[in-house]
Structure formats: C-alpha cells, structure tokens
C-alpha cells in the first residue's frame, strides 16, 4: 500500500512537473490518464479475419499493425518483478477459428514479430468469415488467461481486424460481443473494407465498444495511433466504487481523465472530511472549472446518503490568506484561479470561515460554494484521487475501496 501511494505521488508529480515548463504554479487542470505505452498493463487478444477476402496484403498489413501497436516499449508477457506488462494473444478466424497464441505464449517483442508475421503470412482457403467464431475463441483465451498470474485486476481488450461481416442465428457475432462487453472486456474493431461500400463499418460499430470502431486507411500509422490511444484509455480506471471523471457524465464513452472521485454520504466537519480523504490515499475534491463542478454535482445526486438540496465539502480552504485547493499530502496546493463558483454573497469576509462547501439552493437547485467554519459545520463530502493507469500501477488489493472509519 505504501508503494502504491508512492507511485500515486510520482504520477501526480510527473504530471505537474510537465506542466511546470509553461506555468510556475502547480497544475490547474485535471490530471490526464497516464500516456506511457512503455508501462501499459493489459491483457489483449487480437482476433484476425484470414478468409480469402482479406487478401495476403491485408493480412501482412494487420501483422505490421499488431506489432507496431506494442512497439513503443510496451513490455510483452509476464515478469515476476515488473507488473506493468501486456500479454497479447492471437486468434484467427474464417469459417472456423483457431487460437494461434494464448496469453502466455509471447514473452517478448521478438516473439510477437516472429510469431504474428508467421501466423498471418497467408490467407486461408476459406471464403467464409464468421466473426462470432473468432470472438468465441477470444473469450476462451481470456478465460484461460485468468489462471496462474494474479492478473484478474488487469483490464481486458479484444481487437478485431475484419474484412467482412457475416452471420445470423447461431453465427451472429453481436451476442458474443455483448457477452464480452458485459463482462468488462473492451472491444476495438478495425475494418479492412475491401469493397469500400461502408457497410462493414456500420456493422462493426455494432460490435465495438464506442468510440473504438476504427477503419484502416491508406495511412496505417493513423489507426495504430488510434488503437494505442484506446489502450491507454482502457488502462485508465478507478478503484471499486470510485467514479471516474470524464468530459461528460451522460456520455460514458467520452474522454476519461486520470481522476477518480468518491462521494461520502456521512456528515463530517470540513477538517475531519479532509483527514478522512487522506486515509483513503485521497484528498478533498477540486473544482477547477464549471465542467468539473457540474460533474461532481451530478455524480453526487445519484449517490446513497445524498439528497436535495445537495450539500458537500470540497477541497477549497483559506491558507495564509489565500484560497487553495487540497492536494495529496506534501504536494503544493494550487491557488484558486479564474473559475470561482461562489454563491451570491460569498465568500463572507471572516477569518474563521476558512472551509468551503457546495450548497445547492432549495429553490432553483443551483449550486455554489459557501465558506464555513472548518471545525463546526458538518456536511457530506467528496474525495478525489489519481486513477490506476500507466503512470500509476494498482495492486489487486489496492483496487478494493479502503475501509476507513468515518
Ligand atoms: C499470486 O499471488 C499469490 C499470493 O500473493 C502468490 O503466492 C503467488 O506466487 C502469485 N502467483 C504468481 C504466478 O505470481
Ligand atoms: C463508428 O461508429 C459511429 C456510430 O455508429 C459512427 O458514427 C462512426 O462513423 C463510426 N466510425 C467509423 C470509423 O466507422
Ligand atoms: C444512478 O445510479 C444507479 C445505480 O447505481 C445507476 O444504475 C444509474 O445509471 C445512475 N444514474 C445516473 C444518471 O447516473
């Protein structure tokens, strides 16, 4: 746990260190997800259509695509001393499907190059292409991969490379794709639209986890980048019962920030709420802009222990005469900048009112900040912490919500 916390600090530090080249003060934007492909930690299965329609050229291009996606330093396989590794399995399908590599076979980038190009050297003799069969084998590979390596907390991904979309009834790929997605697997699709009529793209969109339905263009480099960005987003997630901050609360597929929030439906004074968050390896929530404020409010409105008019402590407090935001222990606290969500009449100028809560008005349900006495005014509160991602490895035990007394 200590180690995990240290990594959180390093992650956050790395973030603000990057920004410090442009601004001297601590970063005033919400943390982005880790973007270090060298530290990707995922379980991925590539599912490749090798029916005649794909053509040999198409297959070679897919082999290059798969190898390139993990060529930016991603550690392949398993390593007892380094948990940030990515396992890569390979399934091919035409009329039937075959497992070319389970999740434990490739243990280096060389293994990937040698074996993926060999397995995808030429198309099969089958003109038929049943994605349902390929997805079912991928499901088997992911299931078998749960054994032995303590990786059940790794995010799982299937990347489909398809030149055709066929199948109805028992060979309809949609139910298998739904089953995968329901069990938490992200499905990325890449269309090799040999006919160019667009029908394949529309069909694959039914299989993919939005917005990860891609198409290979003349520029293979573009789709490689799109897949890498998707993998980084999938690798960015929150501990159990925490809510990830995204661009949009209602669009669950919008960009995820490397920030997780936890509404706590127990009454506490501001100072106790701050300590309670600290005990969770967290701090009181920041509201750097109106989007974040609205997001937190919406998340809170649907949470046990909160009711209208919504009231919760945030991380703003007066320290040495300036308003600053709570941060992980030991980190510099950024001063309040342009966006200030004070309710009319606030802040009240009074040296004892140094804590801040969000107070929704009972009439218009608008919500804004009010300064309060940090040791006497009780309210629910919202904690914030960094996500698990490539800059911040989370152990299986660390993913469980840490139980702390309120
Ligand atoms: C999985 O975790 C258990 C308990 O921590 C440990 O004893 C075992 O060696 C681990 N297995 C592998 C393959 O790392
Ligand atoms: C992905 O799916 C969406 C929604 O169906 C669609 O609007 C978009 O054009 C698709 N993208 C590609 C590359 O096919
Ligand atoms: C509210 O919470 C319930 C149960 O956790 C969830 O199913 C539902 O989608 C949430 N609604 C919104 C708008 O987030």
């Amino acid at each position: 746990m200590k180690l995990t916390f240290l990594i959180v600090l390093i992650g956050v530090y790395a973030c603000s260190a990057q920004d410090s080249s442009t601004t001297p003060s601590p970063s005033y934007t919400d943390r982005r997800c880790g973007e270090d492909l060298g530290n990707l930690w995922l379980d991925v299965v590539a599912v490749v259509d090798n029916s005649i329609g794909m053509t040999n050229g198409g297959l070679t291009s897919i082999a290059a695509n798969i190898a390139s996606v993990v060529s930016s330093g991603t550690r392949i396989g398993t390593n007892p001393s380094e948990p940030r590794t990515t396992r890569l399995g390979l399934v091919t399908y035409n009329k039937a499907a075959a497992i070319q590599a389970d999740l434990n076979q490739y243990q280096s980038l060389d293994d990937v190059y040698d074996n993926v190009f060999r397995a995808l050297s030429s198309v099969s003799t089958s003109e038929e292409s049943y994605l349902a069969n390929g997805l079912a084998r991928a499901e088997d590979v992911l299931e078998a991969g749960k054994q032995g390596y303590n990786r059940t907390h790794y995010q799982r991904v299937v990347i489909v490379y398809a030149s055709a979309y066929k199948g109805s009834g028992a060979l309809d790929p949609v139910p298998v794709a739904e089953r995968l997605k329901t069990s938490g697997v992200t499905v990325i699709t890449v269309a090799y639209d040999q006919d160019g009529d667009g029908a394949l793209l529309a069909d694959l969109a039914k299989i993919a986890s939005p917005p990860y339905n891609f198409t290979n263009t003349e520029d293979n480099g573009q789709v490689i980048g799109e897949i890498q960005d998707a993998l980084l987003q999938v690798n960015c997630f929150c501990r159990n019962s925490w809510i990830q901050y995204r661009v949009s609360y209602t669009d669950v597929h919008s960009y995820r920030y490397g920030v997780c929030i936890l509404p706590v439906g127990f009454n506490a004074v501001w100072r106790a709420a701050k300590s309670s968050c600290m005990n969770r390896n967290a701090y009181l929530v920041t509201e750097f802009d109106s989007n974040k404020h609205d997001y937190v409010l919406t998340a809170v409105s649907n949470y046990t222990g909160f009711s209208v008019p919504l009231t919760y402590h945030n991380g703003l407090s007066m320290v040495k005469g300036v308003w600053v935001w709570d941060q992980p222990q030991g980190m510099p606290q950024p001063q309040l900048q342009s966006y200030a969500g004070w309710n009319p009449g606030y802040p009240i100028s009074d040296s004892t009112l140094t804590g801040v809560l969000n107070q929704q008005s009972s009439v218009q349900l608008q919500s804004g900040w009010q300064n309060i006495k940090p040791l006497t005014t009780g309210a629910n509160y919202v904690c914030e912490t960094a996500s698990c991602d490539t800059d911040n490895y989370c152990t299986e035990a660390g993913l469980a919500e840490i139980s702390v007394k309120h």
Side-chain angles (χ1 to χ4, degrees), residues 289-331:
D289 53 39
S290 60
N291 194 62
K292 179 78 172 291
H293 170 267
D294 295 350
Y295 196 96
V296 173
L297 190 70
T298 313
V300 155
S301 69
N302 196 26
Y303 220 80
T304 316
F306 287 81
S307 55
V308 172
L310 297 163
T311 307
Y312 58 90
H313 295 302
N314 69 21
L316 197 59
S317 70
M318 171 81 76
V319 176
K320 293 182 187 140
V322 289
W323 292 107
V324 295
W325 288 107
D326 199 18
Q327 287 294 289
Q329 207 173 3
M331 296 297 294

Side-chain angles (χ1 to χ4, degrees), residues 26-28 288 316 323-327 332-337:
S27 163
Y28 207 76
F288 290 151
L316 197 59
W323 292 107
V324 295
W325 288 107
D326 199 18
Q327 287 294 289
Q333 299 187 312
Q335 272 187 41
L336 178 62
Q337 290 182 21

Side-chain angles (χ1 to χ4, degrees), residues 123-342:
V123 292
S124 68
T125 53
S126 173
E127 286 187 5
E128 296 185 76
S129 167
Y130 292 122
L131 176 54
N133 293 339
L135 288 176
R137 288 291 81 73
E139 203 174 22
D140 296 341
V141 169
L142 288 170
E143 192 57 36
K146 286 182 179 169
Q147 305 302 319
Y149 286 93
N150 295 337
R151 288 174 71 104
T152 50
H153 61 301
Y154 284 54
Q155 302 295 300
R156 293 169 298 153
V157 182
V158 166
I159 309 177
V160 171
Y161 296 87
S163 72
Y165 184 95
K166 294 200 181 105
S168 54
L171 290 171
D172 181 356
V174 171
V176 202
E178 284 305 318
R179 205 160 63 221
L180 282 165
K181 289 187 270 188
T182 306
S183 69
V185 176
T186 300
V187 180
I188 298 171
T189 59
V190 186
Y192 280 71
D193 197 10
Q194 315 290 29
D195 301 337
D197 62 0
L200 175 64
L201 274 55
D203 282 333
L204 286 178
K206 296 187 280 188
I207 301 296
S209 309
Y212 305 138
N213 53 317
F214 304 130
T215 178
N216 110 297
T217 53
E218 283 151 41
D219 178 11
N220 209 6
Q222 183 188 330
V223 77
I224 291 164
E226 286 171 336
I227 296 171
Q228 289 174 328
D229 288 347
L231 295 179
L232 289 167
Q233 279 274 291
V234 176
N235 202 161
C236 182
F237 62 101
C238 294
R239 305 199 305 240
N240 297 341
S241 73
W242 291 68
I243 301 167
Q244 190 151 18
Y245 177 42
R246 295 183 304 262
V247 164
S248 159
Y249 188 83
T250 48
D251 180 3
V252 295
H253 308 297
S254 59
Y255 174 81
R256 308 173 187 181
Y257 286 94
V259 170
C260 306
I261 60 171
L262 181 72
V264 182
F266 290 94
N267 200 280
V269 298
W270 188 94
R271 186 62 188 79
K274 177 180 156 77
S275 291
S276 171
C277 290
M278 201 192 292
N279 283 346
R280 298 166 194 266
N281 283 348
Y283 46 94
L284 278 167
V285 71
T286 59
E287 297 182 316
F288 290 151
D289 53 39
S290 60
N291 194 62
K292 179 78 172 291
H293 170 267
D294 295 350
Y295 196 96
V296 173
L297 190 70
T298 313
V300 155
S301 69
N302 196 26
Y303 220 80
T304 316
F306 287 81
S307 55
V308 172
L310 297 163
T311 307
Y312 58 90
H313 295 302
N314 69 21
L316 197 59
S317 70
M318 171 81 76
V319 176
K320 293 182 187 140
V322 289
W323 292 107
V324 295
W325 288 107
D326 199 18
Q327 287 294 289
Q329 207 173 3
M331 296 297 294
Q333 299 187 312
Q335 272 187 41
L336 178 62
Q337 290 182 21
S338 49
Y339 169 76
W342 298 108

